[in-house]
Amino acid sequence: MNNVNIIIGISMGLGKELFDDLREKEDTFGITSKKSLANKNIIYLPYFDSNQNLDQLFNKLSLKLIEINFSSISVFFNSALYDKKDDNYFDKIKIINVNYFNQMLIYEFLKNKFSDKKFKLIFFSSFEIYNNKSKLNFYKLSKQMFIEEYESKKYDKNIIIKLFIIGGIRTSTYNKNISTKKRSLLRKFLASDLKKSKEYILSETKKNVTKKYFYPARYYYLNILRKFIKYV
């Protein structure tokens, strides 16, 4: 079975690691909002809204896929923006759109254009959804949407879904975000190595079964412990 990978959000961190690994093994295309990264395997796709003509917007991606003989598509939903203190109303809308709706629109386009292909969806959520004191309200909301998407589709026999609820991966963005937080050294220690995380995600993605993953697993148990302490 010939598979093609589409990774949304490949400019840095986990998305870049996944793209660099997979492009050596299978037909793989990255999607980025950074125009300077565009090449034959990386497609520049600026921020968009649902009012735009999607056929025209995704034309480059469509033309590249038509040239390939494949039977299945794996889509990695990795693009993410984070809340900032000075965000205005439009910034908040953009976080939701980039982190969720834009990526789902890409999938809907692919599903309609290549309805004869098998799809595997790889969602990335975050343990931030369990943080009641989170200041990343719109990031958190966008990641909760992937949980709901997974729950609504997990019994669909026509697609395979992987949902990774990520605790901490030591990317440059993660290190920057925790540098000013309390217990930053502990957070950095608990986070997983970037390359090990990539290897784990790719090994699980190969399995043709719909499943939810908590990664690293220690975050899952710490979250249970935190809830227990709260109610004792």
Side-chain angles (χ1 to χ4, degrees):
M1 182 184 291
N2 294 327
N3 181 65
V4 61
N5 301 295
I6 297 171
I7 305 173
I8 309 170
I10 53 87
S11 62
M12 63 180 72
L14 180 61
K16 185 178 186 305
E17 287 289 325
L18 292 169
F19 177 75
D20 288 344
D21 188 294
L22 287 172
R23 69 177 176 176
E24 300 295 328
K25 302 170 182 175
E26 297 178 321
D27 288 311
T28 300
F29 297 99
I31 295 177
T32 182
S33 61
K34 292 182 170 55
K35 198 170 187 177
S36 60
L37 296 179
N39 59 37
K40 66 176 184 177
N41 288 101
I42 299 177
I43 298 160
Y44 166 64
L45 187 62
Y47 170 68
F48 62 90
D49 61 51
S50 58
N51 294 320
Q52 294 175 254
N53 185 316
L54 299 186
D55 281 329
Q56 188 176 15
L57 197 63
F58 304 146
N59 185 53
K60 275 189 179 179
L61 176 60
S62 179
L63 289 174
K64 287 181 181 295
L65 291 174
I66 288 171
E67 294 175 354
I68 300 171
N69 178 28
F70 66 96
S71 55
S72 64
I73 306 177
S74 296
V75 186
F76 293 76
F77 297 74
N78 179 65
S79 188
L81 291 178
Y82 296 86
D83 300 61
K84 299 187 296 294
K85 285 184 179 180
D86 58 347
D87 280 348
N88 58 34
Y89 179 72
F90 296 102
D91 293 324
K92 293 171 182 178
I93 292 174
K94 187 174 182 179
I95 291 170
I96 298 296
N97 280 342
V98 169
N99 291 9
Y100 179 76
F101 286 113
N102 283 14
Q103 297 185 83
M104 292 307 300
L105 282 171
I106 292 171
Y107 164 61
E108 288 297 322
F109 169 81
L110 292 170
K111 185 178 68 171
N112 292 331
K113 194 79 174 178
F114 303 97
S115 57
D116 59 325
K117 311 300 182 185
K118 293 183 178 179
F119 278 85
K120 183 180 288 185
L121 311 182
I122 299 92
F123 295 151
F124 293 105
S125 185
S126 168
F127 271 89
E128 193 69 24
I129 64 173
Y130 302 118
N131 183 3
N132 293 328
K133 296 180 181 179
S134 175
K135 295 180 180 179
L136 303 174
N137 294 324
F138 288 86
Y139 171 81
K140 177 180 174 180
L141 176 59
S142 69
K143 293 303 177 180
Q144 180 62 45
M145 288 177 171
F146 282 116
I147 304 287
E148 294 169 7
E149 195 70 35
Y150 171 83
E151 294 297 332
S152 70
K153 287 182 166 62
K154 65 182 181 181
Y155 297 117
D156 188 338
K157 301 298 183 183
N158 297 313
I159 55 176
I160 294 168
I161 306 176
K162 304 288 184 178
L163 170 64
F164 292 93
I165 302 176
I166 304 293
I169 297 177
R170 287 192 291 271
T171 64
S172 58
T173 302
Y174 178 83
N175 291 335
K176 181 181 178 181
N177 286 342
I178 67 167
S179 61
T180 57
K181 293 184 178 181
K182 293 179 180 179
R183 300 183 292 277
S184 60
L185 286 176
L186 176 61
R187 291 170 186 266
K188 194 170 183 178
F189 172 75
L190 289 171
S192 178
D193 176 75
L194 177 57
K195 291 191 182 298
K196 287 183 179 178
S197 301
K198 173 207 69 175
E199 289 166 4
Y200 174 78
I201 288 167
L202 290 180
S203 68
E204 293 302 318
T205 297
K206 289 178 184 177
K207 300 173 183 177
N208 292 322
V209 58
T210 290
K211 187 175 178 180
K212 182 193 297 183
Y213 303 85
F214 296 92
Y215 186 82
R218 52 185 170 268
Y219 274 80
Y220 175 73
Y221 295 110
L222 282 171
N223 191 55
I224 292 174
L225 180 61
R226 184 174 65 177
K227 287 182 179 180
F228 176 75
I229 292 171
K230 180 180 179 181
Y231 290 107
V232 169

